[in-house]
């Protein structure tokens, strides 16, 4: 609705995770490098946590952008609140194998064979389990640990990344055998004021706008209202662009930002 008014070719503040619109703040870039270390050195498992909307899913989607070859096969499970057998079926489905057997033993054997085939072809498999805090079945967490035990020549067949909200570490802590397998723990904090401004400029530029339309005061208002959480920044800035159009403003002022925030938070 406001694209033509602001000279944009795409909506700059969409909340759909897009690996091609990944803002590399210092903390996001560090998180990527830490995850790449775990993957490249086959450390077994990593855990990344943060508040709702801090950019975990987008970061995970962007991981493949940082690998220069096709040696890694990234699999994504976004709804892990299932029983152990269905978790195995979900992984098999992601690798494109038959997951219809009612037998857990058959499914596990099929998965092992597929992962061994991947290794033989020079491909390493990475399983990303997003929203892992939604897992309430302890047996599902135990199955995740058992998947880490799949090995060939002393090396794991699977690297697992668990991603979730801040309560995830507490859930894992009560499962000591799994907790001890987490090689890297990453907490993704919100953006600070400077990187909130950079984030807004970045999203606008990627959408085709080559000039700054948010005043400094407006940027600070967005930061204060969003507390640096990208999801909230997107919601506020999207509303700012709409209000700017409705008011025929040539820029996003502090007042527009305050009004937008009051309507979205």
């Amino acid at each position: 609705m406001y694209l033509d008014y602001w000279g944009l070719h795409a909506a700059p503040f969409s909340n759909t995770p897009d690996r091609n619109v990944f803002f590399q703040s210092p903390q996001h870039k560090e998180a990527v490098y830490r995850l790449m270390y775990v993957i490249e050195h086959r450390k077994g498992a990593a855990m990344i946590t943060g508040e709702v909307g801090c950019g975990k899913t987008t970061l995970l989607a962007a991981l493949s952008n940082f690998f220069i070859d096709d040696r890694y096969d990234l699999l994504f499970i976004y709804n892990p609140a299932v029983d152990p057998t269905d978790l195995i079926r979900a992984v098999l489905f992601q690798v494109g194998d038959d997951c219809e057997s009612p037998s857990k033993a058959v499914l596990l054997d099929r998965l092992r064979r597929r992962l061994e085939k991947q290794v033989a072809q020079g491909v390493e498999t990475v399983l990303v389990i997003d929203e892992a805090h939604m897992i309430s079945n302890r047996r599902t967490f135990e199955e995740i640990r058992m998947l880490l035990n799949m090995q060939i020549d002393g090396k794991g067949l699977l690297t697992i990344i668990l991603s979730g909200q801040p309560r995830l570490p507490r859930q894992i802590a009560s499962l000591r055998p799994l907790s001890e397998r987490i090689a890297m723990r990453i907490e993704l904090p919100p953006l600070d004021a400077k990187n909130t401004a950079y984030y807004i400029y970045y999203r606008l530029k990627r959408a085709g706008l080559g000039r700054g339309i948010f005043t400094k005061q407006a940027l600070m208002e967005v930061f204060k209202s969003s507390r640096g959480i990208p999801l909230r920044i997107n919601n506020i800035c999207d509303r700012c662009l709409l209000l700017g159009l409705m008011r025929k403003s040539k820029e996003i002022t502090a007042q527009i930002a305050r009004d937008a925030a009051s309507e979205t938070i």
Side-chain angles (χ1 to χ4, degrees):
M1 182 176 183
Y2 53 65
L3 298 187
D4 289 341
Y5 182 81
W6 294 110
L8 299 163
H9 59 65
F13 299 107
S14 170
N15 278 325
T16 303
D18 184 348
R19 72 178 193 175
N20 296 314
V21 188
F22 174 54
F23 174 67
Q24 297 184 44
S25 73
Q27 57 262 44
H28 286 76
K29 185 181 293 186
E30 180 179 339
V32 166
Y33 288 156
R34 287 176 177 270
L35 291 174
M36 289 177 65
Y37 170 80
V38 172
I39 293 169
E40 292 176 345
H41 294 273
R42 298 170 76 171
K43 292 294 185 178
M47 177 169 60
I48 179 168
T49 57
E51 295 288 345
V52 175
C54 69
K56 301 183 298 298
T57 301
T58 301
L59 184 153
L60 293 170
L63 261 181
S64 59
N65 295 346
F66 292 83
F67 295 112
I68 60 175
D69 53 37
D70 297 325
R71 187 158 57 98
Y72 299 97
D73 185 18
L74 273 65
L75 315 177
F76 291 86
I77 294 178
Y78 295 103
N79 183 18
V82 295
D83 65 32
T85 302
D86 282 339
L87 176 68
I88 298 167
R89 287 195 180 98
V91 179
L92 277 168
F93 179 80
Q94 289 294 320
V95 296
D97 211 323
D98 182 7
C99 57
E100 295 302 319
S101 174
S103 169
K104 179 180 173 182
V106 170
L107 293 171
L108 281 171
D109 181 67
R110 194 170 288 157
L111 178 58
R112 171 180 281 279
R113 290 174 182 271
R114 172 51 70 101
L115 294 177
E116 288 177 347
K117 182 179 179 180
Q118 292 268 80
V119 171
Q121 295 174 341
V123 177
E124 298 183 23
T125 306
V126 181
L127 175 62
V128 179
I129 302 178
D130 202 4
E131 306 290 346
H133 60 277
M134 297 297 293
I135 300 174
S136 58
N137 190 335
R138 291 175 64 93
R139 294 187 300 113
T140 301
F141 276 121
E142 178 63 17
E143 196 63 50
I144 292 171
R145 183 182 71 84
M146 295 303 291
L147 290 176
L148 290 169
N149 288 339
M150 288 186 173
Q151 297 184 0
I152 185 170
D153 298 330
K155 295 183 178 180
L157 292 173
L158 193 64
T159 298
I160 297 179
I161 299 173
L162 298 171
S163 173
Q165 293 178 22
R167 70 174 184 263
L168 180 60
R170 296 193 295 273
Q171 293 171 272
I172 299 293
S174 65
L175 304 162
R176 186 173 178 182
L178 176 58
S179 181
E180 292 178 346
R181 299 297 297 273
I182 307 296
M184 185 75 70
R185 300 166 190 265
I186 304 164
E187 182 177 354
L188 196 60
L191 302 174
D192 59 17
K194 180 176 70 173
N195 280 289
T196 294
Y198 288 161
Y199 174 84
I200 294 170
Y201 289 141
Y202 170 80
R203 299 286 297 225
L204 287 169
K205 184 175 181 180
R206 289 301 300 264
L209 192 63
R211 60 188 178 89
I213 58 173
F214 282 72
T215 67
K216 291 183 179 179
Q217 294 79 10
L219 291 170
M220 185 53 64
E221 289 294 334
V222 174
F223 170 69
K224 289 191 297 184
S225 298
S226 68
R227 293 186 291 159
I229 295 176
L231 177 65
R232 296 176 184 172
I233 296 170
N234 288 347
N235 290 336
I236 295 171
C237 288
D238 183 71
R239 189 61 59 88
C240 281
L241 296 179
L242 179 60
L243 291 179
L245 164 64
M246 294 168 62
R247 298 176 186 181
K248 304 301 182 184
S249 177
K250 297 301 182 183
E251 61 184 5
I252 302 301
T253 64
Q255 186 60 55
I256 290 176
R258 282 192 292 270
D259 292 343
S262 69
E263 294 180 8
T264 57
I265 295 180

